[in-house]
Each structure stands twice: as structure tokens, then as C-alpha cells.
């Protein structure tokens, strides 16, 4: 399955249109104008409506313009999204295993799975990086890093 | 000789008994966590650090006090955090009036001041009503009269709509029948700039923030929001002296603890802060910042909370705001 | 005390061994703090305050101010090398700075950033020295209608940041405006778009959005292909590590632009330094003969915003030192530092404490020189950082991003938002939605709405207040003109097409 840019534009337009409609719907619940001046609904209603209008324009333009048939490469997208999903998992794990361990795992994934490095080298580098972060951020700068159930 | 020895033994026995009774009293055994709702450098943080400094200089605690900046959620993050740590005898938090007023209007706030253990109110901040030096209004009455004759035209720069300067305005408007506009600016600097630039007509501000402008003569004080005249401004009438029979909406700060704090711990901390309030280090800090010492124990502090919240409800509702609690 | 006398007196104060040492410590700390997201100059100064309690005020303020403007130098480093803004004001530097690095010109980009920072920073201090009182009066004449007009001007520059599709640029900007409204409305205490979460009551943090949309998105983008071991190509040879004469010549106007715009915007209390850098970038693009090259890595696209954010520091000190009015975050902390030492910042400060006032001003000249001497030789060193193999670089960048997001208020929500904005930034890149308008919309949207509502409150609903005042009328007129540009271009291209159609049938 290859995704066409035109299709993606239409999807984006639709998503933004939906967002715009949501914004307008929320904005209508608040005062548009009060005796003391514009209310909290004024701006959201304005830019929300503009958003709906422009998204419509985008969708219509993309539908009418068959020339944009560039394809996005599936394998490239796949690699990028894989990193994102792993990053998301890493964020989820932060309160559980703590930042330092999390960083080690993240490094291992990227190095070994994504770039095919040798596991032992990757592990040494990962531990090195985590130690570096601990030293620079925690000890030197005194910033708090997320800690997990193990206490660090 | 034997009598003396038995007397000595008896005394020693009494002493030990007394000591063991005394050790049922609370004493902190690990560092105390002091929660403030602003980041480093913010108002609550600076004030909190002044407290920590005074406690240290006057040697009032056997353990360290560690400030924990819990920013976010307009203070509600800090409040929720305090409530979470129910029963912890080694945690204190700095409350400001925001802790009392926010839960009234903000639905997302989960904790209220009633959930917490009042320990002590420490200070009350006075305020000054100032106009630009070349303003046509010589007294507050002049301003009120002008506002009455031109409703909505005169403007006051201030903070958020639930802050003290707007509450005082609502009260004054109700009392006098005058009507002037309130314009919110997020920072004190912007408010002063608006006044100095002639874009607004009046400003209510704490003495330490506006003090330098007064000294330089760029602004003039119309009235003081305080029970008696501040020593630095003996010639300026208070609001009541100027003929306005309205209460001074208080702006106070103090200490609360998490819910379920042990009574012994509360008593201990009340004593500590009572001593701090009378200490020279603290008094020097207050004098430098023109803040009023207003120590009050837990019962009086609770009363203070209740009466303020009731007053706030009344004023906010009259101003047409929606209350969520 | 006359200005020149004052300045000479200031140098006599600032050039003592101790004060030069404090200046060095300050600017050095500032540079480091600026490089890394997660620790900003404001937090650093606030944390150091208690330690400086017993210091002499002159030395103390010299050091703390050094952290303030030194951070502006450091902020560009990660922006250029990793597309990760170290400071809010360094976001605009990412736009062309990172692209220069991608083309193998990382060294020159860093060099130009340092030079622009020095030129504009020095300009800012000279302007502060010579023009402080009239500029302060000018700043006071600025009120909400003028702020609104300024924000409109800034947003209208979006049409120039747009790239190919104006519709997409506008949509990005609108999303930015929406993100800015998340939080509590100051005028009515109404919470907007907070989804019932107390953590969102204060709104989204700018750095979380910027780091996500720029740095995390770039990581995802880099991960797309297995490629070589290095993320970016770093050529060897000293000639490739310093800006060439051509590149420097191209930046001539940018140095001036950044200086003036940065200083003027900095003077206005409440206008942030990111506003200054974006407006300067927009103006540079507007006057360029090849605006389409912006965003691909042109040196003036680095020089303008980098200069602006440094001149901005000089400007922000004008209201602080002449009127005692802090412009915002960091200057407010500097104000409390001065108060702590018993110096009273206000209109009388220059008379009461001339040693502090002039000592500080003089020290900033010295500080800027130190910073230039510190940063330029470090350029080749920093550029070498790009030789780190990509499989190491990506996790390091992600790690720094997490630390930066978490450091905002130690709330996991910010880290989750970081991840979301990372995906958003990546998707936007793939779909050709430009990221700069989103950031611009976020930065300006809040201030613009506030300024408009304040203006209408001042005029009791009368819209004419916006055009009846000369300054705001002028800026709004320029904004409208800028918005006309794409319409004119579109009209002209339609005429060309029609012209061709008229000619074509003859050839049938």
C-alpha cells in the first residue's frame, strides 16, 4: 500500500475541518461578546470558523487537482512510526522503570533494531549515555529526572 | 546524707518521667517538605524562601526545610499534591488567597482549602490606590465622582478578575454606585506601564511593587487599603478614613498542612511560626517589603478562610460570575 | 551624570578584577544554560539568588545579567546542530540554521550566529546607553492597541513564512492560535479546551511544543532511512568551519535588522524575545531578493533572529533600569535580585546607585566581547558533535527532549504532549504543512487576543481605537499590505495564464 500525497492532503483537510468544527462548537458555549468587551468565545469562534473554511478549501482543491500523485514511501514511514511508537512506550514506562533505565532500552532499540549495530557495543554505549545524562543533568545541574519504582 | 541521696534519686526519677512525657510531643525527624505553587523566582517561591531563611537564621527547626515547587494548574497542582499526602507530619505548604478563590470558579480544581489543616496565617498585604502624578483626581472621592458622572469610561489596570484588586473594585462600585472598567494585565510591569503611559486611570497595587514609582514621584497615592496607615505613608488616608465604609478585602499568606496531620505536629509548627513571626530576621524582611505582620493561630486562620470565602462568593455572584462550588 | 561620563564611570567600575571575573562566570554559565533545554536562564538566576545574597550588588547583577544575555548565545547551538531550540528565542534559528547544517555548513551557521549575536547585542547596549530615557517614554506610549497591531504584523508575516501553500500555512497558524487558547482566560476566569485536566489550566508550555515539533519530528524524519553512520555531513577543513566572506556579506542587512527590531521589541514590556526573533526573520525574508530560499539554509535567516534575540536583552533592560518595570520572566527575577541587595530599581536608580547602573551597562559591553571570544573558537568543537554516529545521536536527542519537557513542571503530561507534538511535527513535514506558522500562531495568538480585548475594554467597544492612534494604525496598514502580497501574486499569475491561453489558439 502506497499512500498518495493527494489522499493524505484530503485526510489532513478533513481532520482539520473536524477540529475546526469542535472548536466552533465549544466556542458557542461561551460568551461571544459581553458588555465589557469580547468574551472568551470571540477568538475561538473566529479562528475555528476560518479553520473550517480553509480545510474545506484544501479538500476541494486536492480533489480537483489530480496532479499531486507523489507517493510516500511505505518503508520510510514505517521506520519513522516505529521509532515514534517505541518513544511512546518509553514515555509510558518512565514512571515505572525511571529515566535512566528507560534511556538504555531506548538506545538499545534504536541502535540494534533500527540501525543493526552489534548488541554488545550498543549496550555499552547505552549505559554510557545513561551515565552521562545522570551526571550532567542530575548531579551537575540538579534537575529532577523521572524516577521509577526502583527509586532512580 | 541519705535524705539528700533519696531526694536526688526522686528528682532524677521525676525528671525522667517528665522527659518521657515531653517526648510524646512532636519533633520533626526528617527534612520537611515545603510546597509552594510557583516556580523558582515567582512570588510564592520568593516568599517561601524568605520563610525558610528566617527559620534557619533563627534556628527554629532541628531539621532542614526543602522547598518543593509544584507549578501548574493555577495553584491547583500544589493543592492536589498536598491533599494527596494526607497524614504526613513532615509537610507544610504556603497558601495564598488564590488557594481560597480558585476552587470557587475553576471546575478542574480538585482540592479546596477546607481539605487541608490550617496551621497559621503569617502576613497580610496592604494595597495602595495610585494614580499618575498628573492625574486630575486629587482624592479618591474625586475619582469616584468622575466615575459616577461617566460610567464605564474610567479604567483600572489589574490582575485576574478574581484577584483582590477587582474584588475591592466590585465592593466600592456597589457601595458608591460608581462604575469603572477593569482591564486585566498578566504582569505587574505591564500594569504600571499602562498607568504611566496614561492608558488607564487608576491602579491598585502592593506597596513593594509600586514603592519606587511613589518615591520618584511618577505616581500619587489616593488611599491605602489597610486597617491603619502604613508608617511609610503617614499622610495618606485609609479607605475608611477617606469616607468609604467598606471592608478591606484581605490578601494574606500563611501555612497549611495536609489533611489528617497529627494534633501534636500542628501545635509544634504553630509554636515555630509564632516564634518566627516575632523574630528580628522576619521582621526585617517584612519591613523591607512593607508587609504587615499578622500571625494568627489555626482556629483564627480557619475563621479567616471561612469569612473570606463567604465574602468572595457574594461578590463574585453579584458580579455575574459562575461559581462551580 | 551625563551619558558619556556615566559610561566611563561604569567602565571604571566594571573593569575591576572582581567584576570582570563575575562577568565571565555569568556569561559562561549563561552559555551552558542556553545550550540545553530544560534549564532556562530564569530558573538558573532564581536558584542562584540565595547564594548571591551576600554579594556586592554590582558584582551580583553583573553576573546574573551575564547569565541572562549569555543564554541567548548558547541557545542557537542545539537549534543549528539538532533542530532543537535551547531557548524560546532560538526557535526561529532552527528554520535556516538546521538547514545550513544539513548542507554541511554547520560551522558557518554557528559562526554567523555568534557574530550576529555580538553585533546586535552590542548595538542593543549602545542604544540602551544613549537612548534609554526617550526609548522608555516610547515604550510607555505603547498600549494594547499598539500591541495588537504589532501582533497582527507578526502574524501577517506568516504569508511570507508560508512556503508553497498559503492555505496550509494559514491552517498551521490557526492550529497554533488554538493551542494558545488552551488554558484559563484571564478576563473571565473561564477555562478553555482544558478537557477537565487541572494541569492544562495554565496552558501549554511553549518549549514542549517547540521541542516536539522541531526536534522530535526531526528524529523521526532522520530515522526514515538507514543511511550512513552520520546523521549530517560534516566536511573537513577550517574553511568549512567558519563563515565565508560571501555568507557574511549576505548578512549585512540582517545584522542591522536583528539589532533594531530586537531592541525595539525588547523594550516593550510583555513582548517576548521569541516575538522579536520571528519578526526579524519575517522582515529579512520580506526584503530579500530571493525569499524562496529562506527555509533551505540561508545565512541571513540565521543572522536576523539570532541578532534579534540578543538585541532584545538590551532592550528589555531599558524599562527595568530606567523605570523599574520588568518586561517579563527573567527581568522580573533580576528586579527581585536588585531589591534583595537593597538597590531600588526605578526612575531614581540612576541617581541613587550610579555604580550599579553604569557598572552593569559597561559590563555588558565586556560581556559581549567575552562571549564572542568564548563562542567563536568553540564553533569547530561543536560542529564535530555532528560526527557522532546517528544510532547514538538519536537516543541522545530524544533523551534531552524528555528532560527538557519534564523539567517544565515535573509533570508527565508534558512528556506525553512532547510525544504527540513530535508526531504532529513529523506528519506536518510529510504533508508539507510548514511548522513555523504553528509556532508563530502559538506565540502571538495569546498576546494578540489579550491585546484586542484590552483595547476594546479601553474604548468601551469602539473598534476605531485601533486605527485612530498613529502607531497602531501604521502597523495595521503594513500588516494589511503584507496580506495583499499573495493576492497580488495570485492575480498576476492568473493574468499570465490567461495571456498564454489567448496566444495559444493561434498555434493550433
Amino acid at each position: 500500500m502506497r499512500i498518495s500525497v493527494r489522499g493524505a492532503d484530503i485526510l489532513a483537510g478533513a481532520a482539520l475541518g473536524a477540529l475546526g468544527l469542535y472548536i466552533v462548537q465549544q466556542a458557542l458555549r461561551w460568551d461571544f461578546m459581553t458588555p465589557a468587551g469580547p468574551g472568551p468565545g470571540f477568538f475561538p469562534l473566529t479562528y475555528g470558523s476560518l479553520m473550517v473554511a480553509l480545510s474545506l478549501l484544501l479538500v476541494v482543491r486536492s480533489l480537483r487537482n489530480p496532479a499531486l500523485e507523489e507517493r510516500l514511501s511505505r518503508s520510510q514511514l514505517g521506520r519513522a512510526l516505529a521509532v515514534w511508537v517505541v518513544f511512546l512506550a518509553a514515555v509510558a514506562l518512565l514512571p515505572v522503570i525511571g529515566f535512566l533505565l528507560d534511556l538504555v532500552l531506548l538506545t538499545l532499540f534504536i541502535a540494534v533494531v533500527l540501525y543493526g549495530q552489534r548488541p554488545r557495543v550498543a549496550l555499552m554505549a547505552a549505559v554510557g549515555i545513561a551515565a552521562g545524562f545522570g551526571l550532567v543533568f542530575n548531579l551537575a545541574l540538579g534537575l529532577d529526572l523521572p524516577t521509577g519504582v526502583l527509586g532512580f | 546524707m541519705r535524705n539528700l541521696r533519696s531526694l536526688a534519686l526522686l528528682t532524677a526519677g521525676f525528671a525522667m518521667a517528665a522527659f518521657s512525657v515531653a517526648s510524646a510531643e512532636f519533633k520533626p525527624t526528617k527534612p520537611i517538605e515545603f510546597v509552594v505553587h510557583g516556580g523558582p523566582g515567582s512570588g510564592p517561591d520568593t516568599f517561601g524562601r524568605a520563610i525558610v531563611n528566617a527559620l534557619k537564621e533563627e534556628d527554629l527547626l532541628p531539621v532542614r526545610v526543602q522547598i518543593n515547587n509544584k507549578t501548574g494548574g493555577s495553584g491547583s497542582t500544589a493543592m492536589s499534591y498536598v491533599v494527596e499526602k494526607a497524614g504526613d507530619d513532615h509537610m507544610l505548604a504556603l497558601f495564598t488567597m488564590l488557594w481560597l478563590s480558585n476552587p470557587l470558579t475553576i471546575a478542574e480544581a480538585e482540592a479546596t482549602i477546607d481539605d487541608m489543616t490550617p496551621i497559621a496565617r503569617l502576613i497580610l498585604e496592604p494595597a495602595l490606590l495610585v494614580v499618575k502624578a498628573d492625574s486630575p483626581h486629587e482624592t479618591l472621592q474625586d475619582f469616584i465622582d468622575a466615575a459616577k458622572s461617566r460610567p464605564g469610561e474610567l479604567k483600572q489596570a489589574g490582575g485576574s478578575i478574581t484577584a483582590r484588586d477587582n474584588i475591592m473594585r466590585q465592593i466600592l462600585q456597589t457601595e458608591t454606585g460608581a462604575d469603572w472598567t477593569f482591564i486585566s494585565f498578566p504582569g505587574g510591569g505591564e500594569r504600571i506601564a499602562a498607568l504611566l503611559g496614561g492608558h488607564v486611570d487608576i491602579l491598585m497595587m502592593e506597596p513593594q511593587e509600586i514603592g519606587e514609582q511613589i518615591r520618584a514621584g511618577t505616581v500619587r497615592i489616593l488611599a491605602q487599603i489597610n486597617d491603619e496607615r502604613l508608617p511609610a505613608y503617614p499622610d495618606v488616608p485609609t479607605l475608611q478614613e477617606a469616607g468609604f465604609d467598606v471592608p478591606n478585602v484581605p490578601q494574606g499568606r500563611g501555612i497549611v498542612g495536609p489533611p489528617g496531620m497529627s494534633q501534636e505536629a500542628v501545635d509544634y509548627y504553630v509554636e515555630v511560626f509564632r516564634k518566627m513571626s516575632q523574630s528580628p530576621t522576619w521582621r526585617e524582611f517584612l519591613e523591607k517589603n512593607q508587609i504587615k505582620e499578622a500571625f494568627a493561630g489555626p482556629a483564627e486562620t480557619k475563621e479567616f478562610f471561612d469569612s473570606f470565602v463567604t465574602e468572595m462568593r457574594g461578590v463574585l455572584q453579584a458580579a455575574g460570575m459562575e461559581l462551580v462550588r | 551624570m551625563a551619558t558619556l561620563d556615566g559610561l566611563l564611570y561604569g567602565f571604571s567600575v566594571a573593569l575591576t578584577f572582581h567584576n570582570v571575573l563575575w562577568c565571565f562566570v555569568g556569561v559562561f554559565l549563561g552559555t551552558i544554560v542556553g545550550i540545553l533545554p530544560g534549564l532556562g536562564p530564569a530558573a538558573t538566576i532564581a536558584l542562584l539568588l540565595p547564594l548571591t545574597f551576600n554579594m556586592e550588588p554590582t558584582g551580583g547583577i553583573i553576573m546574573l545579567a551575564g547569565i541572562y544575555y549569555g543564554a541567548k548565545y548558547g541557545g542557537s547551538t542545539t537549534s543549528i546542530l539538532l533542530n532543537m531550540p535551547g531557548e524560546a528565542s532560538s526557535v526561529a534559528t532552527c528554520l535556516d540554521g538546521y538547514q545550513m547544517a544539513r548542507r554541511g555548513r554547520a560551522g558557518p551557521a554557528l559562526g554567523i550566529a555568534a557574530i550576529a549575536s555580538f553585533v546586535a547585542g552590542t548595538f542593543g547596549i549602545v542604544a540602551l546607553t544613549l537612548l534609554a530615557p526617550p526609548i522608555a517614554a516610547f515604550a510607555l506610549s505603547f498600549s494594547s492597541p499598539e500591541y495588537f497591531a504589532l501582533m497582527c504584523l507578526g502574524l501577517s508575516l506568516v504569508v511570507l513564512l508560508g512556503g508553497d501553500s498559503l492555505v496550509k500555512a494559514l491552517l498551521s497558524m490557526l492550529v497554533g492560535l488554538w493551542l494558545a487558547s488552551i488554558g484559563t482566560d484571564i478576563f473571565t476566569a473561564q477555562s478553555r479546551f482544558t478537557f477537565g485536566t487541572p494541569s492544562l489550566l495554565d496552558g501549554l508550555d511553549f518549549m514542549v511544543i517547540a521541542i516536539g515539533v522541531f526536534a522530535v519530528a526531526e528524529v523521526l524524519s532522520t530515522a526514515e532511512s538507514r543511511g550512513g553512520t552520520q546523521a549530517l555531513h560534516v566536511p573537513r577543513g577550517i574553511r568549512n568551519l567558519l563563515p565565508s566572506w560571501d555568507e557574511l556579506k549576505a548578512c549585512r542587512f540582517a545584522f542591522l535588522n536583528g539589532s533594531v527590531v530586537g531592541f525595539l521589541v525588547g523594550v516593550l514590556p510583555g513582548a517576548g524575545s521569541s516575538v522579536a526573533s520571528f519578526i526579524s526573520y519575517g522582515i529579512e525574508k520580506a526584503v530579500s531578493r530571493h525569499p524562496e530560499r529562506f527555509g533551505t539554509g540561508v545565512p541571513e535567516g540565521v543572522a536576523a533572529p539570532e541578532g534579534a534575540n540578543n538585541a532584545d536583552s538590551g532592550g528589555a533592560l531599558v524599562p527595568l533600569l530606567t523605570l523599574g518595570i520588568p518586561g517579563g520572566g527573567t527581568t522580573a527575577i533580576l528586579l527581585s535580585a536588585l531589591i534583595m541587595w537593597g538597590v531600588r530599581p526605578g526612575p531614581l536608580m540612576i541617581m541613587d546607585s550610579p555604580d550599579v547602573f553604569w557598572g552593569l551597562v559597561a559590563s555588558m559591553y565586556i560581556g559581549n566581547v567575552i562571549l564572542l571570544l568564548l563562542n567563536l573558537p568553540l564553533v569547530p568543537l561543536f560542529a564535530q558533535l555532528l560526527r557522532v554516529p546517528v544510532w547514538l545521536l538519536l537516543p541522545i536527542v530524544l533523551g534531552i527532549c524528555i528532560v527538557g519537557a519534564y523539567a517544565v513542571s515535573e509533570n508527565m503530561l508534558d512528556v506525553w504532549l512532547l510525544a504527540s507534538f513530535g508526531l504532529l511535527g513529523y506528519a506536518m513535514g510529510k504533508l508539507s504543512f510548514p511548522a513555523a506558522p504553528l509556532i508563530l500562531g502559538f506565540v502571538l495568538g495569546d498576546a494578540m487576543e489579550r491585546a484586542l480585548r484590552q483595547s476594546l475594554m479601553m474604548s468601551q467597544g469602539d473598534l476605531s481605537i485601533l486605527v485612530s492612534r498613529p502607531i497602531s494604525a501604521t502597523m495595521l496598514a503594513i500588516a494589511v499590505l503584507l496580506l495583499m502580497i499573495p493576492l497580488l501574486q495570485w492575480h498576476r499569475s492568473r493574468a499570465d495564464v490567461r495571456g498564454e491561453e489567448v496566444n495559444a489558439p493561434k498555434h493550433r
Side-chain angles (χ1 to χ4, degrees):
Chain A
M1 178 193 68
R2 305 190 98 201
I3 312 142
S4 76
V5 170
R6 179 165 158 262
D9 269 3
I10 295 176
L11 265 172
L16 285 168
L19 177 62
L21 284 172
Y22 169 72
I23 295 174
V24 168
Q25 183 235 2
Q26 291 287 309
L28 286 172
R29 287 174 26 195
W30 306 317
D31 292 328
F32 184 74
M33 191 63 77
T34 70
F42 181 78
F43 250 55
L45 193 63
T46 317
Y47 61 71
S49 321
L50 272 172
M51 202 186 280
V52 174
L54 284 172
S55 324
L56 223 60
L57 184 60
L58 182 66
V59 172
V60 166
R61 236 206 242 173
S62 307
L63 283 172
R64 287 207 320 182
N65 197 343
L68 303 165
E69 277 302 311
E70 256 177 73
R71 310 265 183 189
L72 299 171
S73 150
R74 183 190 179 196
S75 67
Q76 285 186 327
L77 224 56
R79 280 176 68 96
L81 288 176
V83 175
W84 186 72
V85 168
V86 173
F87 185 55
L88 213 58
V91 174
L93 280 175
L94 270 175
V96 178
I97 59 176
F99 177 75
L100 295 172
L101 269 182
D102 210 314
L103 192 57
V104 170
L105 290 179
L106 187 61
T107 314
L108 277 177
F109 173 81
I110 293 180
V112 178
V113 177
L114 217 58
Y115 286 89
Q117 298 298 312
R118 296 208 311 274
R120 237 177 337 167
V121 174
L123 185 60
M124 286 199 299
V127 172
I129 291 179
F133 268 79
L135 271 173
V136 172
F137 286 102
N138 224 339
L139 291 176
L141 296 177
L143 280 178
D144 274 333
L145 300 172
T147 54
V149 292
L150 297 170
F152 65 85
Chain B
M1 192 59 79
R2 205 181 309 157
N3 280 339
L4 213 54
R5 193 153 29 121
S6 356
L7 184 58
L9 278 172
L10 213 57
T11 318
F14 266 121
M16 279 174 59
F19 177 80
S20 58
V21 165
S23 60
E25 276 176 25
F26 172 82
K27 238 184 180 341
T29 49
K30 54 181 181 136
I32 295 173
E33 196 183 348
F34 189 28
V35 176
V36 299
H37 73 260
S42 66
D45 175 74
T46 316
F47 191 75
R49 284 177 200 275
I51 295 178
V52 173
N53 185 53
L55 290 172
K56 197 171 68 139
E57 291 291 310
E58 299 290 334
D59 219 2
L60 290 168
L61 282 171
V63 294
R64 209 164 41 95
V65 179
Q66 184 68 28
I67 290 200
N68 188 352
N69 301 82
K70 280 274 164 216
T71 58
S74 280
S76 64
T77 309
M79 292 176 74
S80 302
Y81 179 72
V82 171
V83 168
E84 265 171 45
K85 302 276 179 149
D88 188 346
D89 281 346
H90 290 83
M91 176 197 267
L92 299 170
L94 176 70
F95 76 81
T96 68
M97 302 318 269
L98 206 63
W99 290 41
L100 285 80
S101 59
N102 264 357
L104 295 177
T105 54
I106 299 183
E108 290 89 341
E110 294 155 347
T112 71
I113 198 77
D114 295 322
D115 298 329
M116 304 180 211
T117 313
I119 294 182
R121 183 187 67 193
L122 289 176
I123 55 114
L124 285 172
E125 285 180 287
L128 300 171
L129 274 165
V130 300
V131 293
K132 201 173 167 202
D134 58 12
S135 160
H137 312 294
E138 288 291 328
T139 67
L140 185 55
Q141 190 60 51
D142 290 342
F143 176 82
I144 299 286
D145 291 336
K148 269 199 247 188
S149 64
R150 290 140 54 194
E153 270 183 45
L154 292 183
K155 301 166 281 252
Q156 175 182 353
S160 122
I161 207 172
T162 54
R164 189 245 300 254
D165 36 9
N166 191 33
I167 304 298
M168 273 312 310
R169 164 181 164 265
Q170 297 284 358
I171 293 180
L172 273 171
Q173 286 186 156
T174 316
E175 171 73 14
T176 61
D179 175 17
W180 68 94
T181 315
F182 184 81
I183 306 185
S184 301
F185 289 85
E190 288 170 75
R191 291 168 218 160
I192 299 179
L195 183 71
L196 291 178
H199 311 288
V200 299
D201 304 286
I202 196 170
L203 177 63
M204 185 186 302
M205 198 166 247
E206 286 77 32
Q208 81 259 35
E209 257 190 284
I210 195 76
E212 275 309 296
Q213 303 300 329
I214 299 172
R215 201 166 71 98
T218 56
V219 303
R220 248 187 309 119
I221 317 176
L222 292 183
Q224 311 190 27
I225 318 281
N226 203 24
D227 289 335
E228 65 277 321
R229 300 192 183 189
L230 285 169
Y233 310 112
D235 301 321
V236 177
T238 67
L239 208 54
Q240 293 71 35
E241 285 171 358
F244 298 94
D245 188 19
V246 291
N248 288 326
V249 175
Q251 186 150 300
R253 298 189 195 178
I255 311 286
V256 288
M261 203 179 218
S262 70
Q263 190 56 47
E264 294 87 34
V266 173
D267 293 337
Y268 176 81
Y269 289 124
V270 170
E271 261 319 292
V272 168
F273 285 110
R274 188 192 305 275
K275 288 200 205 123
M276 184 194 83
S277 298
Q278 289 154 3
S279 70
T281 318
W282 184 244
R283 287 191 179 262
E284 203 189 305
F285 169 74
L286 293 187
E287 212 182 288
K288 218 202 275 193
N289 288 283
Q290 294 182 280
I291 304 175
K292 205 168 85 160
E293 201 280 304
F295 176 82
E300 208 184 317
T301 307
K302 178 92 177 69
E303 247 177 70
F304 175 68
F305 291 163
D306 292 338
S307 74
F308 180 80
V309 170
T310 313
E311 204 177 309
M312 273 291 275
R313 276 187 209 278
V315 171
L316 289 176
Q317 267 169 338
M321 290 201 62
E322 215 184 288
L323 296 179
V324 298
R325 262 179 206 87
Chain C
M1 199 186 274
T3 307
L4 222 47
D5 289 335
L7 193 57
L8 287 173
Y9 172 63
F11 274 112
S12 74
V13 171
L15 281 172
T16 64
F17 175 71
H18 274 116
N19 286 339
V20 170
L21 187 65
W22 287 126
C23 187
F24 179 79
V25 169
V27 300
F28 181 71
L29 264 178
T31 311
I32 296 185
V33 160
I35 292 179
L36 294 169
L39 198 62
T44 314
I45 296 176
L47 289 173
L48 286 176
L49 264 186
L51 299 174
T52 61
F53 186 73
N54 286 314
M55 276 180 76
E56 218 216 298
T58 316
I61 194 67
I62 287 177
M63 179 184 80
L64 295 181
I67 299 180
Y68 172 53
Y69 59 84
K72 307 287 181 76
Y73 274 77
S76 53
T77 310
T78 46
S79 301
I80 292 171
L81 295 177
L82 302 170
N83 205 36
M84 178 162 59
E87 273 297 295
S89 53
S90 314
V91 174
T93 314
C94 293
L95 299 174
D96 272 274
Y98 183 65
Q99 296 305 317
M100 277 185 78
R102 288 186 69 177
R103 293 194 298 120
R105 307 293 295 164
L110 290 169
I112 289 172
I115 296 172
S117 299
F118 174 73
V119 170
T122 308
F123 173 90
I125 307 166
V126 171
L128 167 67
T129 313
L130 299 174
L131 299 172
I135 290 283
F138 166 74
L140 286 182
S141 72
F142 246 69
S143 184
S144 307
E146 283 76 26
Y147 274 93
F148 175 70
L150 181 66
M151 301 301 154
C152 282
L153 184 62
L155 281 181
S156 70
L157 291 168
V158 125
V159 308
L160 301 162
L161 293 177
D164 298 318
S165 172
L166 185 60
V167 174
K168 289 186 179 178
L170 286 174
L171 281 170
S172 282
M173 182 191 82
L174 293 173
V175 174
L177 290 181
W178 171 64
L179 292 173
S181 353
I182 298 180
T184 314
D185 172 39
I186 189 180
F187 299 100
T188 57
Q190 170 74 51
S191 36
R192 298 190 293 189
F193 304 114
T194 52
F195 303 104
T197 320
S199 309
L200 288 176
L201 282 174
D202 283 340
L204 295 175
D205 183 76
F206 174 67
M207 286 307 282
V208 170
I209 300 181
I211 299 179
V213 168
F214 282 89
V216 177
E218 187 58 30
V219 168
L220 298 181
S221 199
T222 311
E224 273 177 357
S225 59
R226 186 108 158 212
T229 49
Q230 269 176 258
L232 296 179
H233 170 61
V234 183
R236 294 187 185 280
I238 198 72
R239 217 173 340 138
N240 285 313
L241 286 174
L242 288 176
S244 69
W245 275 120
D246 288 331
E247 285 169 332
L248 281 174
K249 261 195 352 197
C251 295
R252 273 178 342 223
F253 180 72
F255 290 141
L256 182 66
N257 169 14
S259 306
V260 173
V261 171
F263 181 73
L264 288 178
V265 174
V267 166
L268 307 171
S273 55
S274 44
V275 173
S277 50
F278 269 109
I279 291 185
S280 181
Y281 181 85
I283 292 179
E284 189 64 29
K285 186 171 176 180
V287 304
S288 162
R289 249 177 265 160
H290 300 281
E292 70 283 352
R293 286 209 221 134
F294 274 72
T296 65
V298 290
E300 55 268 37
V302 175
E306 267 308 299
N309 68 30
N310 279 74
D312 174 270
S313 325
L317 287 172
V318 169
L320 179 67
L321 295 177
T322 55
L323 296 170
I325 299 178
T330 322
T331 40
I333 305 181
L334 289 176
L335 182 81
S336 45
L338 287 169
I339 295 177
M340 180 184 76
W341 290 311
V343 178
R344 296 153 86 173
L348 300 175
M349 180 178 162
I350 189 173
M351 279 186 347
D352 288 344
S353 319
D355 49 338
V356 179
F357 182 94
W358 288 113
L360 172 63
V361 173
S363 77
M364 293 200 283
Y365 289 95
I366 302 173
N368 266 288
V369 171
I370 296 180
L371 281 165
L372 186 68
L373 294 176
L374 258 183
N375 279 279
L376 268 186
L378 288 177
V379 161
L381 182 66
F382 282 136
Q384 301 305 315
L385 284 174
L386 292 179
R387 291 192 191 279
V388 171
V390 63
W391 54 269
L392 270 181
L393 194 62
L394 295 189
I396 293 179
V397 171
L398 288 178
I400 301 179
C401 291
I402 294 179
V403 175
Y406 188 71
V408 169
S409 50
E410 300 202 359
N411 191 343
M412 277 304 292
L413 177 66
D414 289 323
V415 189
W416 286 107
L417 286 171
L418 172 80
S420 319
F421 282 116
L423 186 65
L424 177 69
Y426 177 69
M428 285 171 70
K430 283 280 142 223
L431 296 169
S432 310
F433 278 82
L438 180 100
I439 300 286
L440 198 62
F442 181 80
V443 168
L444 298 183
D446 215 14
M448 188 167 103
E449 176 181 19
R450 251 202 324 265
L452 179 65
R453 290 166 75 178
Q454 284 165 349
S455 305
L456 289 177
M457 284 185 200
M458 284 185 192
S459 68
Q460 294 172 276
D462 189 1
L463 266 176
S464 70
I465 189 178
L466 297 171
V467 293
S468 60
R469 296 155 72 108
I471 305 179
S472 62
T474 318
M475 286 199 285
L476 280 175
I478 299 178
V480 169
L481 282 172
L482 283 172
L483 286 170
M484 300 276 216
I485 295 181
L487 285 172
L488 283 170
Q489 287 173 339
W490 179 74
H491 185 76
R492 202 180 307 152
S493 65
R494 285 272 303 239
D496 288 339
V497 169
R498 247 182 277 131
E500 282 169 22
E501 284 174 2
V502 166
N503 291 324
K506 287 189 191 162
H507 297 273
R508 286 238 175 100

